[in-house]
Structure formats: C-alpha cells, structure tokens
C-alpha cells in the first residue's frame, strides 16, 4: 500500500508541476514520465522510485497495472477520454488532490524536476521516441521485461568507456 500511495503522489506531483498544465494530461504522457523517472533515477542513483515493473512491447512501454490501479482513485484523480491523442491510449487524467510532498527525498525531487523539464520540451510522439531510445526494443517481440536497473548500469558503463576512449 505504501508503494501505491507513493506512486499516486508522484503522479500528482507531475500533474501539478508540469508546464503543459492545461488541466487534463494524457495517460500515455504520465506513463512515459514515470518510466523516465525510474530510468533517470537508476542511472543517477542505482535505484528506481516508482515501484513499477516496466514492460516493453514493440512500440513503447506497456500499460502498467500499477499505474492503472493508482489513477482509479477517484479521491485523487479524474479520468476522461480524448480521441485526438495520437496513440492507442486515449485516456486523459487530471489531479484533484494535492501531492503529499513530505514523503519524497531531495534526491527524488531532483529526478522528478529533471524529467518534468524533459517532458515539457517534447510533444507526445517526441517523448515516446525519447523513451524508446533509452531501451533496445526488439522488433517483433510482443513483450519484453525491462530490467531498468541492469540497463541503466550498462548505459553508465558504455558512457564511461566512451569518455575514456575520447580522452585517449
């Protein structure tokens, strides 16, 4: 229950701090931001924050039961539908509660704010491309479990090796 409450508050924090705050936000954007929060945290701090078990399909991250369960809390979120969204998921979400901010660490706030800034700079399709660039998706695979911590470590090592080769 503690993980679910934390996830709800992360979603609320994102909804209330993004520059694109036009009321409702697509659930696809929320999912991508949550994924990027975990990716960035895994690279910077060696751990994830959201508690979500991420899966990929051949186009993007797969719908998460953890997100679905969290957003169905009517005391915190209102859901709608927008057929103009350029992706399969047409659900939109609006926060109706205030995030309980004292449950986050300074380290987590840094990650949240960095990812929110990245999200604010990109339209939904651009954000999806950015998400896909963080993980090698195998074409034709229906579902691929995302070992986000392992891939973040691999990414860090590749980046460090690249810097060493550049200096040499």
């Amino acid at each position: 229950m503690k993980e679910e409450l934390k996830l709800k508050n992360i979603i609320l924090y994102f909804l209330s701090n993004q520059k694109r705050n036009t009321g409702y936000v697509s659930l696809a954007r929320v999912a991508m931001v949550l994924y990027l929060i975990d990716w960035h945290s895994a690279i910077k701090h060696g751990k994830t924050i959201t508690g979500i078990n991420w899966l990929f399909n051949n186009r993007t991250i797969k719908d998460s039961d953890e997100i679905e369960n969290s957003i169905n809390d009517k005391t915190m979120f209102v859901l709608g539908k927008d057929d103009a969204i350029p992706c399969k998921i047409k659900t939109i979400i609006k926060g109706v509660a205030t995030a309980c901010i004292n449950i986050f660490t300074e380290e987590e706030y840094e990650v949240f704010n960095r990812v929110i800034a990245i999200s604010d700079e990109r339209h939904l399709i651009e954000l999806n491309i950015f998400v896909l660039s963080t993980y090698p998706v195998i074409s034709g695979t229906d579902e691929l479990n995302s070992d986000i911590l392992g891939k973040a470590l691999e990414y860090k090592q590749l980046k460090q090796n690249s810097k060493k080769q550049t200096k040499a």
Side-chain angles (χ1 to χ4, degrees):
M1 188 57 134
K2 184 179 175 186
E3 285 291 320
E4 186 178 328
L5 181 60
K6 185 173 185 179
L7 180 57
K8 289 176 186 180
N9 280 285
I10 294 169
I11 295 169
L12 285 171
Y13 184 81
F14 164 64
L15 293 173
S16 61
N17 287 283
Q18 51 138 358
K19 288 182 184 168
R20 294 175 175 263
N21 198 350
T22 56
Y24 285 89
V25 176
S26 74
L27 182 55
R29 178 175 292 276
V30 171
M32 286 184 253
V33 164
L34 292 171
Y35 171 80
L36 289 172
I37 285 170
D38 277 347
W39 175 252
H40 189 66
S41 178
I43 291 170
K44 288 284 190 188
H45 308 293
K47 61 183 179 182
T48 60
I49 297 174
T50 69
I52 296 172
N53 179 32
W54 294 105
L55 299 173
F56 270 91
N57 64 23
N58 63 354
R59 292 188 189 101
T60 190
I61 52 178
K62 192 166 169 49
D63 298 348
S64 156
D65 290 339
E66 294 96 332
I67 297 172
E68 198 69 38
N69 292 339
S70 291
I71 65 169
N72 282 321
D73 183 338
K74 290 177 177 38
T75 65
M76 299 179 102
F77 305 104
V78 174
L79 302 179
K81 186 177 178 185
D82 184 351
D83 290 325
I85 296 174
C87 63
K88 181 180 163 187
I89 303 170
K90 305 292 184 187
T91 304
I92 53 177
I93 180 172
K94 177 179 181 178
V96 293
T98 304
C100 182
I101 57 175
N102 62 348
I103 65 171
F104 303 127
T105 66
E106 190 173 319
E107 192 177 87
E108 290 171 330
Y109 278 119
E110 269 181 38
V111 171
F112 299 158
N113 293 330
R114 173 72 180 124
V115 171
I116 289 170
I118 289 168
S119 170
D120 282 343
E121 297 169 358
R122 291 170 172 81
H123 294 287
L124 190 61
I125 293 171
E126 294 169 322
L127 189 61
N128 189 47
I129 291 167
F130 185 76
V131 166
L132 290 175
S133 75
T134 68
Y135 195 83
V137 179
I138 301 168
S139 182
T141 301
D142 287 340
E143 200 170 281
L144 183 64
N145 193 351
S146 173
D147 174 16
I148 209 166
L149 289 173
K151 289 298 172 187
L153 179 60
E154 185 179 329
Y155 171 84
K156 253 178 124 167
Q157 289 171 341
L158 287 170
K159 195 171 180 180
Q160 288 170 349
N161 290 341
S162 175
K163 285 181 182 179
K164 287 177 187 176
Q165 288 175 354
T166 305
K167 289 179 181 179

mmCIF file of all heavy atoms in Angstrom, residues 51-99:
data_model
loop_
_atom_site.group_PDB
_atom_site.id
_atom_site.type_symbol
_atom_site.label_atom_id
_atom_site.label_comp_id
_atom_site.label_asym_id
_atom_site.label_seq_id
_atom_site.Cartn_x
_atom_site.Cartn_y
_atom_site.Cartn_z
ATOM 1 N N GLY A 51 8.311 1.984 -8.206
ATOM 2 C CA GLY A 51 7.846 0.653 -7.823
ATOM 3 C C GLY A 51 7.152 -0.092 -8.959
ATOM 4 O O GLY A 51 6.567 -1.147 -8.747
ATOM 5 N N ILE A 52 7.228 0.448 -10.170
ATOM 6 C CA ILE A 52 6.559 -0.166 -11.327
ATOM 7 C C ILE A 52 7.483 -1.189 -11.967
ATOM 8 O O ILE A 52 8.671 -0.944 -12.145
ATOM 9 C CB ILE A 52 6.157 0.913 -12.361
ATOM 10 C CG1 ILE A 52 5.118 1.855 -11.753
ATOM 11 C CG2 ILE A 52 5.636 0.276 -13.643
ATOM 12 C CD1 ILE A 52 4.802 3.067 -12.613
ATOM 13 N N ASN A 53 6.916 -2.342 -12.344
ATOM 14 C CA ASN A 53 7.637 -3.354 -13.110
ATOM 15 C C ASN A 53 7.391 -3.049 -14.584
ATOM 16 O O ASN A 53 6.330 -3.363 -15.118
ATOM 17 C CB ASN A 53 7.138 -4.756 -12.747
ATOM 18 C CG ASN A 53 7.838 -5.821 -13.539
ATOM 19 O OD1 ASN A 53 9.007 -5.690 -13.900
ATOM 20 N ND2 ASN A 53 7.129 -6.891 -13.830
ATOM 21 N N TRP A 54 8.352 -2.426 -15.239
ATOM 22 C CA TRP A 54 8.164 -1.948 -16.606
ATOM 23 C C TRP A 54 8.284 -3.058 -17.625
ATOM 24 O O TRP A 54 9.172 -3.899 -17.535
ATOM 25 C CB TRP A 54 9.190 -0.851 -16.922
ATOM 26 C CG TRP A 54 8.951 0.363 -16.105
ATOM 27 C CD1 TRP A 54 9.671 0.772 -15.031
ATOM 28 C CD2 TRP A 54 7.901 1.312 -16.267
ATOM 29 N NE1 TRP A 54 9.134 1.929 -14.515
ATOM 30 C CE2 TRP A 54 8.047 2.278 -15.259
ATOM 31 C CE3 TRP A 54 6.850 1.445 -17.173
ATOM 32 C CZ2 TRP A 54 7.185 3.370 -15.132
ATOM 33 C CZ3 TRP A 54 6.000 2.518 -17.049
ATOM 34 C CH2 TRP A 54 6.169 3.469 -16.041
ATOM 35 N N LEU A 55 7.375 -3.037 -18.599
ATOM 36 C CA LEU A 55 7.413 -3.956 -19.733
ATOM 37 C C LEU A 55 7.382 -3.142 -21.020
ATOM 38 O O LEU A 55 6.742 -2.097 -21.078
ATOM 39 C CB LEU A 55 6.204 -4.901 -19.715
ATOM 40 C CG LEU A 55 6.064 -5.821 -18.505
ATOM 41 C CD1 LEU A 55 4.742 -6.565 -18.568
ATOM 42 C CD2 LEU A 55 7.215 -6.810 -18.451
ATOM 43 N N PHE A 56 8.087 -3.632 -22.039
ATOM 44 C CA PHE A 56 8.050 -3.018 -23.356
ATOM 45 C C PHE A 56 7.313 -3.926 -24.310
ATOM 46 O O PHE A 56 7.365 -5.137 -24.193
ATOM 47 C CB PHE A 56 9.467 -2.835 -23.904
ATOM 48 C CG PHE A 56 10.086 -1.539 -23.539
ATOM 49 C CD1 PHE A 56 10.844 -1.407 -22.403
ATOM 50 C CD2 PHE A 56 9.927 -0.433 -24.359
ATOM 51 C CE1 PHE A 56 11.432 -0.206 -22.069
ATOM 52 C CE2 PHE A 56 10.510 0.779 -24.047
ATOM 53 C CZ PHE A 56 11.264 0.890 -22.898
ATOM 54 N N ASN A 57 6.609 -3.332 -25.269
ATOM 55 C CA ASN A 57 6.183 -4.097 -26.425
ATOM 56 C C ASN A 57 6.929 -3.505 -27.608
ATOM 57 O O ASN A 57 7.842 -2.713 -27.419
ATOM 58 C CB ASN A 57 4.650 -4.095 -26.584
ATOM 59 C CG ASN A 57 4.079 -2.715 -26.852
ATOM 60 O OD1 ASN A 57 4.762 -1.819 -27.332
ATOM 61 N ND2 ASN A 57 2.813 -2.540 -26.537
ATOM 62 N N ASN A 58 6.573 -3.829 -28.818
ATOM 63 C CA ASN A 58 7.399 -3.405 -29.946
ATOM 64 C C ASN A 58 7.229 -1.941 -30.333
ATOM 65 O O ASN A 58 7.838 -1.489 -31.276
ATOM 66 C CB ASN A 58 7.162 -4.305 -31.155
ATOM 67 C CG ASN A 58 5.738 -4.237 -31.668
ATOM 68 O OD1 ASN A 58 4.886 -3.600 -31.077
ATOM 69 N ND2 ASN A 58 5.476 -4.892 -32.774
ATOM 70 N N ARG A 59 6.426 -1.183 -29.627
ATOM 71 C CA ARG A 59 6.251 0.227 -29.957
ATOM 72 C C ARG A 59 6.577 1.178 -28.811
ATOM 73 O O ARG A 59 7.005 2.289 -29.032
ATOM 74 C CB ARG A 59 4.818 0.483 -30.415
ATOM 75 C CG ARG A 59 4.534 -0.170 -31.746
ATOM 76 C CD ARG A 59 3.174 0.259 -32.270
ATOM 77 N NE ARG A 59 2.855 -0.542 -33.423
ATOM 78 C CZ ARG A 59 2.058 -1.569 -33.418
ATOM 79 N NH1 ARG A 59 1.471 -1.942 -32.305
ATOM 80 N NH2 ARG A 59 1.823 -2.254 -34.512
ATOM 81 N N THR A 60 6.334 0.773 -27.599
ATOM 82 C CA THR A 60 6.558 1.664 -26.457
ATOM 83 C C THR A 60 6.456 0.865 -25.162
ATOM 84 O O THR A 60 6.369 -0.355 -25.186
ATOM 85 C CB THR A 60 5.544 2.839 -26.469
ATOM 86 O OG1 THR A 60 5.937 3.794 -25.486
ATOM 87 C CG2 THR A 60 4.126 2.374 -26.206
ATOM 88 N N ILE A 61 6.445 1.566 -24.041
ATOM 89 C CA ILE A 61 6.242 0.872 -22.773
ATOM 90 C C ILE A 61 4.815 0.345 -22.718
ATOM 91 O O ILE A 61 3.899 0.932 -23.274
ATOM 92 C CB ILE A 61 6.543 1.789 -21.570
ATOM 93 C CG1 ILE A 61 5.794 3.108 -21.658
ATOM 94 C CG2 ILE A 61 8.017 1.991 -21.399
ATOM 95 C CD1 ILE A 61 6.011 4.035 -20.488
ATOM 96 N N LYS A 62 4.644 -0.787 -22.072
ATOM 97 C CA LYS A 62 3.341 -1.442 -21.992
ATOM 98 C C LYS A 62 2.548 -0.868 -20.814
ATOM 99 O O LYS A 62 3.124 -0.444 -19.826
ATOM 100 C CB LYS A 62 3.564 -2.939 -21.812
ATOM 101 C CG LYS A 62 2.352 -3.792 -21.999
ATOM 102 C CD LYS A 62 2.784 -5.236 -22.145
ATOM 103 C CE LYS A 62 1.659 -6.213 -22.067
ATOM 104 N NZ LYS A 62 0.516 -5.964 -22.853
ATOM 105 N N ASP A 63 1.233 -0.861 -20.967
ATOM 106 C CA ASP A 63 0.371 -0.381 -19.885
ATOM 107 C C ASP A 63 0.742 -1.078 -18.573
ATOM 108 O O ASP A 63 1.026 -2.260 -18.549
ATOM 109 C CB ASP A 63 -1.102 -0.686 -20.202
ATOM 110 C CG ASP A 63 -1.581 0.007 -21.460
ATOM 111 O OD1 ASP A 63 -0.873 0.891 -21.955
ATOM 112 O OD2 ASP A 63 -2.659 -0.346 -21.944
ATOM 113 N N SER A 64 0.715 -0.325 -17.515
ATOM 114 C CA SER A 64 1.135 -0.827 -16.213
ATOM 115 C C SER A 64 -0.066 -0.983 -15.292
ATOM 116 O O SER A 64 -0.850 -0.049 -15.130
ATOM 117 C CB SER A 64 2.142 0.156 -15.612
ATOM 118 O OG SER A 64 2.173 0.053 -14.229
ATOM 119 N N ASP A 65 -0.186 -2.146 -14.672
ATOM 120 C CA ASP A 65 -1.251 -2.364 -13.690
ATOM 121 C C ASP A 65 -1.100 -1.411 -12.510
ATOM 122 O O ASP A 65 -2.088 -0.943 -11.956
ATOM 123 C CB ASP A 65 -1.222 -3.808 -13.172
ATOM 124 C CG ASP A 65 -1.656 -4.816 -14.227
ATOM 125 O OD1 ASP A 65 -2.341 -4.407 -15.192
ATOM 126 O OD2 ASP A 65 -1.301 -5.999 -14.084
ATOM 127 N N GLU A 66 0.150 -1.123 -12.136
ATOM 128 C CA GLU A 66 0.393 -0.233 -11.004
ATOM 129 C C GLU A 66 -0.164 1.164 -11.280
ATOM 130 O O GLU A 66 -0.789 1.778 -10.409
ATOM 131 C CB GLU A 66 1.885 -0.128 -10.696
ATOM 132 C CG GLU A 66 2.512 -1.421 -10.210
ATOM 133 C CD GLU A 66 3.182 -2.216 -11.324
ATOM 134 O OE1 GLU A 66 2.767 -2.117 -12.505
ATOM 135 O OE2 GLU A 66 4.133 -2.950 -11.012
ATOM 136 N N ILE A 67 0.062 1.671 -12.504
ATOM 137 C CA ILE A 67 -0.465 2.988 -12.860
ATOM 138 C C ILE A 67 -1.983 2.932 -12.909
ATOM 139 O O ILE A 67 -2.663 3.808 -12.369
ATOM 140 C CB ILE A 67 0.102 3.475 -14.215
ATOM 141 C CG1 ILE A 67 1.613 3.648 -14.132
ATOM 142 C CG2 ILE A 67 -0.569 4.787 -14.629
ATOM 143 C CD1 ILE A 67 2.283 3.932 -15.463
ATOM 144 N N GLU A 68 -2.510 1.918 -13.548
ATOM 145 C CA GLU A 68 -3.962 1.753 -13.674
ATOM 146 C C GLU A 68 -4.637 1.745 -12.306
ATOM 147 O O GLU A 68 -5.641 2.424 -12.090
ATOM 148 C CB GLU A 68 -4.261 0.446 -14.423
ATOM 149 C CG GLU A 68 -5.641 0.352 -14.984
ATOM 150 C CD GLU A 68 -5.904 1.304 -16.137
ATOM 151 O OE1 GLU A 68 -5.018 1.527 -16.959
ATOM 152 O OE2 GLU A 68 -7.030 1.820 -16.191
ATOM 153 N N ASN A 69 -4.085 0.983 -11.377
ATOM 154 C CA ASN A 69 -4.661 0.920 -10.032
ATOM 155 C C ASN A 69 -4.584 2.270 -9.327
ATOM 156 O O ASN A 69 -5.517 2.668 -8.627
ATOM 157 C CB ASN A 69 -3.941 -0.139 -9.185
ATOM 158 C CG ASN A 69 -4.218 -1.541 -9.675
ATOM 159 O OD1 ASN A 69 -5.206 -1.798 -10.363
ATOM 160 N ND2 ASN A 69 -3.332 -2.461 -9.361
ATOM 161 N N SER A 70 -3.484 2.990 -9.507
ATOM 162 C CA SER A 70 -3.306 4.274 -8.846
ATOM 163 C C SER A 70 -4.271 5.337 -9.353
ATOM 164 O O SER A 70 -4.866 6.069 -8.569
ATOM 165 C CB SER A 70 -1.866 4.778 -9.030
ATOM 166 O OG SER A 70 -0.985 3.965 -8.312
ATOM 167 N N ILE A 71 -4.421 5.432 -10.664
ATOM 168 C CA ILE A 71 -5.240 6.517 -11.223
ATOM 169 C C ILE A 71 -6.734 6.292 -11.036
ATOM 170 O O ILE A 71 -7.515 7.221 -11.215
ATOM 171 C CB ILE A 71 -4.937 6.768 -12.715
ATOM 172 C CG1 ILE A 71 -5.319 5.559 -13.559
ATOM 173 C CG2 ILE A 71 -3.492 7.185 -12.897
ATOM 174 C CD1 ILE A 71 -5.312 5.817 -15.041
ATOM 175 N N ASN A 72 -7.120 5.091 -10.655
ATOM 176 C CA ASN A 72 -8.540 4.831 -10.435
ATOM 177 C C ASN A 72 -9.029 5.297 -9.066
ATOM 178 O O ASN A 72 -10.176 5.074 -8.702
ATOM 179 C CB ASN A 72 -8.852 3.346 -10.646
ATOM 180 C CG ASN A 72 -8.926 3.013 -12.120
ATOM 181 O OD1 ASN A 72 -9.449 3.790 -12.920
ATOM 182 N ND2 ASN A 72 -8.367 1.875 -12.499
ATOM 183 N N ASP A 73 -8.170 5.964 -8.312
ATOM 184 C CA ASP A 73 -8.548 6.542 -7.028
ATOM 185 C C ASP A 73 -9.287 7.857 -7.295
ATOM 186 O O ASP A 73 -8.672 8.880 -7.605
ATOM 187 C CB ASP A 73 -7.290 6.785 -6.188
ATOM 188 C CG ASP A 73 -7.610 7.326 -4.805
ATOM 189 O OD1 ASP A 73 -8.703 7.902 -4.605
ATOM 190 O OD2 ASP A 73 -6.733 7.200 -3.924
ATOM 191 N N LYS A 74 -10.584 7.831 -7.183
ATOM 192 C CA LYS A 74 -11.422 8.989 -7.509
ATOM 193 C C LYS A 74 -11.254 10.156 -6.527
ATOM 194 O O LYS A 74 -11.680 11.264 -6.807
ATOM 195 C CB LYS A 74 -12.885 8.564 -7.605
ATOM 196 C CG LYS A 74 -13.171 7.702 -8.824
ATOM 197 C CD LYS A 74 -14.617 7.255 -8.841
ATOM 198 C CE LYS A 74 -15.038 6.457 -10.031
ATOM 199 N NZ LYS A 74 -14.155 5.496 -10.597
ATOM 200 N N THR A 75 -10.637 9.902 -5.375
ATOM 201 C CA THR A 75 -10.379 10.999 -4.442
ATOM 202 C C THR A 75 -9.156 11.813 -4.868
ATOM 203 O O THR A 75 -8.952 12.917 -4.377
ATOM 204 C CB THR A 75 -10.153 10.488 -3.002
ATOM 205 O OG1 THR A 75 -8.958 9.693 -2.968
ATOM 206 C CG2 THR A 75 -11.338 9.664 -2.515
ATOM 207 N N MET A 76 -8.367 11.270 -5.806
ATOM 208 C CA MET A 76 -7.139 11.951 -6.233
ATOM 209 C C MET A 76 -7.120 12.323 -7.713
ATOM 210 O O MET A 76 -6.414 13.255 -8.098
ATOM 211 C CB MET A 76 -5.922 11.083 -5.909
ATOM 212 C CG MET A 76 -5.757 10.804 -4.427
ATOM 213 S SD MET A 76 -4.329 9.770 -4.083
ATOM 214 C CE MET A 76 -3.184 11.001 -3.506
ATOM 215 N N PHE A 77 -7.876 11.586 -8.533
ATOM 216 C CA PHE A 77 -7.804 11.779 -9.985
ATOM 217 C C PHE A 77 -9.175 11.741 -10.639
ATOM 218 O O PHE A 77 -10.073 11.051 -10.166
ATOM 219 C CB PHE A 77 -6.937 10.686 -10.629
ATOM 220 C CG PHE A 77 -5.571 10.570 -10.042
ATOM 221 C CD1 PHE A 77 -5.260 9.536 -9.168
ATOM 222 C CD2 PHE A 77 -4.583 11.490 -10.341
ATOM 223 C CE1 PHE A 77 -3.998 9.423 -8.615
ATOM 224 C CE2 PHE A 77 -3.318 11.391 -9.793
ATOM 225 C CZ PHE A 77 -3.021 10.358 -8.931
ATOM 226 N N VAL A 78 -9.288 12.485 -11.732
ATOM 227 C CA VAL A 78 -10.466 12.419 -12.599
ATOM 228 C C VAL A 78 -9.969 11.949 -13.959
ATOM 229 O O VAL A 78 -8.972 12.463 -14.471
ATOM 230 C CB VAL A 78 -11.141 13.810 -12.740
ATOM 231 C CG1 VAL A 78 -12.259 13.758 -13.762
ATOM 232 C CG2 VAL A 78 -11.653 14.288 -11.399
ATOM 233 N N LEU A 79 -10.657 10.973 -14.528
ATOM 234 C CA LEU A 79 -10.271 10.438 -15.828
ATOM 235 C C LEU A 79 -11.247 10.891 -16.895
ATOM 236 O O LEU A 79 -12.421 11.111 -16.630
ATOM 237 C CB LEU A 79 -10.240 8.906 -15.797
ATOM 238 C CG LEU A 79 -9.310 8.270 -14.769
ATOM 239 C CD1 LEU A 79 -9.411 6.758 -14.843
ATOM 240 C CD2 LEU A 79 -7.879 8.709 -14.981
ATOM 241 N N GLY A 80 -10.754 11.003 -18.108
ATOM 242 C CA GLY A 80 -11.582 11.346 -19.250
ATOM 243 C C GLY A 80 -11.057 10.631 -20.475
ATOM 244 O O GLY A 80 -10.230 9.728 -20.382
ATOM 245 N N LYS A 81 -11.529 11.064 -21.642
ATOM 246 C CA LYS A 81 -11.098 10.459 -22.897
ATOM 247 C C LYS A 81 -10.921 11.566 -23.931
ATOM 248 O O LYS A 81 -11.726 12.494 -23.995
ATOM 249 C CB LYS A 81 -12.134 9.443 -23.377
ATOM 250 C CG LYS A 81 -11.720 8.668 -24.594
ATOM 251 C CD LYS A 81 -12.773 7.632 -24.968
ATOM 252 C CE LYS A 81 -12.328 6.912 -26.223
ATOM 253 N NZ LYS A 81 -13.327 5.991 -26.718
ATOM 254 N N ASP A 82 -9.867 11.460 -24.729
ATOM 255 C CA ASP A 82 -9.601 12.431 -25.788
ATOM 256 C C ASP A 82 -9.194 11.677 -27.048
ATOM 257 O O ASP A 82 -8.086 11.154 -27.135
ATOM 258 C CB ASP A 82 -8.489 13.393 -25.359
ATOM 259 C CG ASP A 82 -8.228 14.497 -26.363
ATOM 260 O OD1 ASP A 82 -8.779 14.435 -27.490
ATOM 261 O OD2 ASP A 82 -7.470 15.414 -26.039
ATOM 262 N N ASP A 83 -10.092 11.616 -28.020
ATOM 263 C CA ASP A 83 -9.824 10.885 -29.253
ATOM 264 C C ASP A 83 -8.771 11.550 -30.126
ATOM 265 O O ASP A 83 -8.277 10.949 -31.089
ATOM 266 C CB ASP A 83 -11.123 10.692 -30.053
ATOM 267 C CG ASP A 83 -12.055 9.700 -29.370
ATOM 268 O OD1 ASP A 83 -11.548 8.739 -28.765
ATOM 269 O OD2 ASP A 83 -13.282 9.898 -29.428
ATOM 270 N N ALA A 84 -8.390 12.777 -29.816
ATOM 271 C CA ALA A 84 -7.379 13.488 -30.611
ATOM 272 C C ALA A 84 -5.950 13.077 -30.245
ATOM 273 O O ALA A 84 -5.004 13.425 -30.950
ATOM 274 C CB ALA A 84 -7.540 14.989 -30.439
ATOM 275 N N ILE A 85 -5.776 12.335 -29.170
ATOM 276 C CA ILE A 85 -4.439 11.915 -28.755
ATOM 277 C C ILE A 85 -3.891 10.938 -29.792
ATOM 278 O O ILE A 85 -4.558 9.963 -30.134
ATOM 279 C CB ILE A 85 -4.479 11.269 -27.351
ATOM 280 C CG1 ILE A 85 -4.913 12.301 -26.315
ATOM 281 C CG2 ILE A 85 -3.123 10.675 -26.986
ATOM 282 C CD1 ILE A 85 -5.127 11.744 -24.944
ATOM 283 N N PRO A 86 -2.656 11.192 -30.286
ATOM 284 C CA PRO A 86 -2.101 10.377 -31.370
ATOM 285 C C PRO A 86 -1.477 9.065 -30.912
ATOM 286 O O PRO A 86 -0.351 8.745 -31.256
ATOM 287 C CB PRO A 86 -1.039 11.299 -31.977
ATOM 288 C CG PRO A 86 -0.555 12.088 -30.805
ATOM 289 C CD PRO A 86 -1.773 12.293 -29.939
ATOM 290 N N CYS A 87 -2.188 8.310 -30.119
ATOM 291 C CA CYS A 87 -1.691 6.999 -29.714
ATOM 292 C C CYS A 87 -2.894 6.136 -29.319
ATOM 293 O O CYS A 87 -4.020 6.604 -29.279
ATOM 294 C CB CYS A 87 -0.684 7.101 -28.578
ATOM 295 S SG CYS A 87 -1.339 7.769 -27.054
ATOM 296 N N LYS A 88 -2.612 4.886 -29.026
ATOM 297 C CA LYS A 88 -3.664 3.920 -28.707
ATOM 298 C C LYS A 88 -4.421 4.283 -27.429
ATOM 299 O O LYS A 88 -5.632 4.139 -27.341
ATOM 300 C CB LYS A 88 -3.013 2.537 -28.573
ATOM 301 C CG LYS A 88 -3.973 1.430 -28.279
ATOM 302 C CD LYS A 88 -3.224 0.109 -28.155
ATOM 303 C CE LYS A 88 -4.064 -0.919 -27.462
ATOM 304 N NZ LYS A 88 -3.312 -2.138 -27.188
ATOM 305 N N ILE A 89 -3.708 4.767 -26.440
ATOM 306 C CA ILE A 89 -4.330 5.103 -25.152
ATOM 307 C C ILE A 89 -4.935 6.500 -25.259
ATOM 308 O O ILE A 89 -4.226 7.479 -25.411
ATOM 309 C CB ILE A 89 -3.304 5.051 -24.007
ATOM 310 C CG1 ILE A 89 -2.656 3.676 -23.929
ATOM 311 C CG2 ILE A 89 -3.963 5.414 -22.685
ATOM 312 C CD1 ILE A 89 -1.471 3.608 -22.989
ATOM 313 N N LYS A 90 -6.240 6.592 -25.162
ATOM 314 C CA LYS A 90 -6.951 7.873 -25.298
ATOM 315 C C LYS A 90 -7.342 8.473 -23.948
ATOM 316 O O LYS A 90 -7.973 9.510 -23.878
ATOM 317 C CB LYS A 90 -8.219 7.685 -26.148
ATOM 318 C CG LYS A 90 -7.987 7.062 -27.518
ATOM 319 C CD LYS A 90 -7.229 7.988 -28.427
ATOM 320 C CE LYS A 90 -7.099 7.384 -29.822
ATOM 321 N NZ LYS A 90 -6.239 8.160 -30.678
ATOM 322 N N THR A 91 -6.963 7.800 -22.865
ATOM 323 C CA THR A 91 -7.320 8.246 -21.527
ATOM 324 C C THR A 91 -6.552 9.513 -21.167
ATOM 325 O O THR A 91 -5.365 9.630 -21.436
ATOM 326 C CB THR A 91 -7.009 7.150 -20.491
ATOM 327 O OG1 THR A 91 -7.690 5.954 -20.865
ATOM 328 C CG2 THR A 91 -7.441 7.563 -19.096
ATOM 329 N N ILE A 92 -7.257 10.437 -20.546
ATOM 330 C CA ILE A 92 -6.634 11.644 -20.009
ATOM 331 C C ILE A 92 -6.899 11.686 -18.512
ATOM 332 O O ILE A 92 -7.859 11.093 -18.020
ATOM 333 C CB ILE A 92 -7.141 12.925 -20.719
ATOM 334 C CG1 ILE A 92 -8.669 12.994 -20.705
ATOM 335 C CG2 ILE A 92 -6.584 13.020 -22.133
ATOM 336 C CD1 ILE A 92 -9.250 14.258 -21.320
ATOM 337 N N ILE A 93 -6.038 12.382 -17.798
ATOM 338 C CA ILE A 93 -6.107 12.362 -16.345
ATOM 339 C C ILE A 93 -5.873 13.771 -15.800
ATOM 340 O O ILE A 93 -5.109 14.546 -16.355
ATOM 341 C CB ILE A 93 -5.067 11.370 -15.771
ATOM 342 C CG1 ILE A 93 -5.117 11.315 -14.249
ATOM 343 C CG2 ILE A 93 -3.675 11.686 -16.262
ATOM 344 C CD1 ILE A 93 -4.256 10.223 -13.646
ATOM 345 N N LYS A 94 -6.555 14.047 -14.710
ATOM 346 C CA LYS A 94 -6.395 15.332 -14.026
ATOM 347 C C LYS A 94 -6.301 15.045 -12.525
ATOM 348 O O LYS A 94 -7.064 14.249 -11.988
ATOM 349 C CB LYS A 94 -7.610 16.214 -14.316
ATOM 350 C CG LYS A 94 -7.599 17.545 -13.619
ATOM 351 C CD LYS A 94 -8.834 18.338 -13.987
ATOM 352 C CE LYS A 94 -8.852 19.685 -13.320
ATOM 353 N NZ LYS A 94 -10.026 20.472 -13.707
ATOM 354 N N GLY A 95 -5.365 15.702 -11.866
ATOM 355 C CA GLY A 95 -5.244 15.552 -10.421
ATOM 356 C C GLY A 95 -6.240 16.450 -9.712
ATOM 357 O O GLY A 95 -6.420 17.599 -10.095
ATOM 358 N N VAL A 96 -6.908 15.930 -8.693
ATOM 359 C CA VAL A 96 -7.866 16.727 -7.928
ATOM 360 C C VAL A 96 -7.477 16.806 -6.451
ATOM 361 O O VAL A 96 -8.230 17.283 -5.636
ATOM 362 C CB VAL A 96 -9.315 16.200 -8.079
ATOM 363 C CG1 VAL A 96 -9.812 16.400 -9.494
ATOM 364 C CG2 VAL A 96 -9.421 14.745 -7.657
ATOM 365 N N ALA A 97 -6.289 16.335 -6.150
ATOM 366 C CA ALA A 97 -5.781 16.395 -4.779
ATOM 367 C C ALA A 97 -4.398 17.039 -4.830
ATOM 368 O O ALA A 97 -3.822 17.221 -5.890
ATOM 369 C CB ALA A 97 -5.701 14.991 -4.181
ATOM 370 N N THR A 98 -3.858 17.355 -3.684
ATOM 371 C CA THR A 98 -2.522 17.923 -3.602
ATOM 372 C C THR A 98 -1.557 16.818 -3.209
ATOM 373 O O THR A 98 -1.855 16.014 -2.327
ATOM 374 C CB THR A 98 -2.484 19.043 -2.539
ATOM 375 O OG1 THR A 98 -3.490 20.007 -2.868
ATOM 376 C CG2 THR A 98 -1.132 19.703 -2.479
ATOM 377 N N ALA A 99 -0.401 16.790 -3.870
ATOM 378 C CA ALA A 99 0.596 15.765 -3.562
ATOM 379 C C ALA A 99 1.101 15.936 -2.131
ATOM 380 O O ALA A 99 1.289 17.047 -1.657
ATOM 381 C CB ALA A 99 1.766 15.858 -4.543
#
